[in-house]
Amino acid sequence: KYKKIVIIVNDSNPLEWKASARSYQNFDLTSIIKISQDYLLKGGGHQGAIGFSLKPELFNQLCKNLKNNIGFI
């Protein structure tokens, strides 16, 4: 319906946030994992869906990295 890439972040744990993403059309979400290794504790998935975790203090840096390298967030 919305035709957008979606990333949902669960911030209920103050030590480790977990995220899940779903792709739209042909965007390969694994590219997010590849360019974000410095910010993630762990991550994995496939072209259409990924999951990852990160320290809360790195969230803003991750968003900046994605915006600079992929063009969204």
Side-chain angles (χ1 to χ4, degrees):
K1 178 178 176 180
Y2 297 103
K3 301 179 182 178
K4 303 272 184 190
I5 295 168
V6 177
I7 301 174
I8 303 292
V9 179
N10 179 340
D11 64 356
S12 62
N13 181 338
L15 301 177
E16 179 181 350
W17 289 2
K18 294 186 178 184
S20 178
R22 298 296 178 267
S23 188
Y24 173 70
Q25 290 187 336
N26 295 326
F27 184 81
D28 184 357
L29 284 175
T30 61
S31 63
I32 289 177
I33 301 293
K34 291 174 188 169
I35 67 166
S36 302
Q37 289 295 318
D38 293 342
Y39 310 102
L40 305 181
L41 295 170
K42 53 188 165 185
H46 53 82
Q47 182 175 344
I50 60 169
F52 59 90
S53 62
L54 71 154
K55 292 184 179 182
E57 59 268 21
L58 297 178
F59 179 74
N60 288 335
Q61 292 173 296
L62 172 65
C63 291
K64 190 175 194 178
N65 179 55
L66 294 177
K67 187 173 183 178
N68 290 339
N69 288 291
I70 297 178
F72 71 86
I73 293 290

